[in-house]
Amino acid sequence: MTNRSFRIVIAQPPVVTDSDAERNVARATKLVARAADMGGNLGLFPEGYPGPVLRRPKDRYDARSRMASSAAERAIAVCWSRMELCDDGQYRLVVYVVDADGVPVLRYERAHPASLPLHETQVSVAPGEELGFCVIDGIPMGIVVCSELWIPEPTRVLAVRGAEVILSPAGGGFTTLTENWQIIARARAIENLAYVALTNNIWDGEKGAAMIAGPETVIASSGYEELVMAELD
């Protein structure tokens, strides 16, 4: 880590899935502002938030400019994601990271996709070709999305490349998997001597799994708070 502390704020918001799912973007920009007010250096959103995450006619909004502007206005880096129709005609889950000036530093196509049921998305989800790695404020970071965290190798490769922080946005709906998901996050932190920040969407009032774990201890966790912050040093 750098000589100064670094604050990560993870969001686990209730997700809107009705015909006006674009409301998630407005909620996300408010959460960015709150994260900045908390003193955060980076805000992490769950997988597919603020979206869109499903292939529906009203779910084809583009949040890129609003998320970048929100980051720049509040001087905080932001990691968010959406389902995206890529240039090759394939749908992929794409994670974006912008720095505190709103400048894009990473576009990561999830390498190990977990498709939602076809009757919901109406499309298959294709894999990306590269792992997600970037540097924010001088700190090397890796991206491991949702069930990618359960596979040891992606996190290990990112750690070998120098990642000191692993950002793990997940989709949620863990139900009985919540405790084991948190155990996996802690295991990845321990075995790679890195910090792991895990967060998820909240569906239907379920308990969340938000956690920031270090190799020695869990720094912060909450099942219900919408924003959770931890200071890394």
Side-chain angles (χ1 to χ4, degrees):
M1 297 288 291
T2 61
N3 292 328
R4 65 178 180 81
S5 62
F6 186 87
R7 296 183 179 93
I8 290 182
V9 180
I10 53 178
Q12 55 177 359
V15 64
V16 175
T17 58
D18 61 21
S19 59
D20 192 17
E22 192 169 358
R23 287 189 293 153
N24 288 316
V25 183
R27 183 63 185 162
T29 58
K30 291 179 180 178
L31 291 174
V32 169
R34 285 178 54 194
D37 289 342
M38 292 168 67
N41 301 109
L42 181 145
L44 172 65
F45 287 94
E47 179 186 20
Y49 196 91
V53 67
L54 300 177
R55 182 179 177 270
R56 295 172 178 164
K58 292 185 179 180
D59 286 359
R60 297 177 184 174
Y61 53 88
D62 190 340
R64 284 178 293 183
S65 62
R66 282 173 285 180
M67 295 302 288
S69 295
S70 181
E73 289 170 4
R74 302 311 297 257
I76 181 173
V78 176
C79 177
W80 65 281
S81 57
R82 66 177 186 171
M83 193 73 77
E84 184 173 313
L85 179 60
C86 299
D87 292 340
D88 62 359
Q90 299 285 329
Y91 277 87
R92 294 182 177 84
L93 191 285
V94 179
V95 179
Y96 287 91
V97 180
V98 297
D99 66 17
D101 294 317
V103 176
V105 296
L106 178 67
R107 179 185 180 277
Y108 167 57
E109 297 179 353
R110 180 175 170 175
H112 182 268
S115 295
L116 291 168
L118 283 176
H119 72 272
E120 294 184 10
T121 63
Q122 303 171 21
V123 296
S124 295
V125 183
E129 296 183 355
E130 302 289 340
L131 297 179
F133 182 89
C134 63
V135 177
I136 297 292
D137 283 2
I139 301 173
M141 299 189 183
I143 308 289
V144 179
V145 179
C146 203
S147 58
E148 290 182 326
L149 190 66
W150 287 66
I151 309 168
E153 289 79 9
T155 305
R156 174 54 58 87
V157 170
L158 291 166
V160 169
R161 290 181 181 176
E164 299 177 13
V165 177
I166 301 297
L167 305 177
S168 187
F174 294 162
T175 60
T176 57
L177 286 175
T178 297
E179 289 186 5
N180 279 1
W181 213 293
Q182 292 175 319
I183 290 172
I184 290 293
R186 296 178 67 180
R188 296 294 168 264
I190 293 166
E191 66 196 9
N192 293 291
L193 299 178
Y195 294 100
V196 174
L198 166 69
T199 191
N200 59 276
N201 297 292
I202 300 297
W203 303 86
D204 299 323
E206 67 174 329
K207 182 180 179 180
M211 171 183 287
I212 301 171
E216 296 179 344
T217 188
V218 173
I219 303 170
S221 66
S222 177
Y224 300 102
E225 291 179 89
E226 197 168 21
L227 292 176
V228 181
M229 187 177 76
E231 186 168 340
L232 314 183
D233 54 27

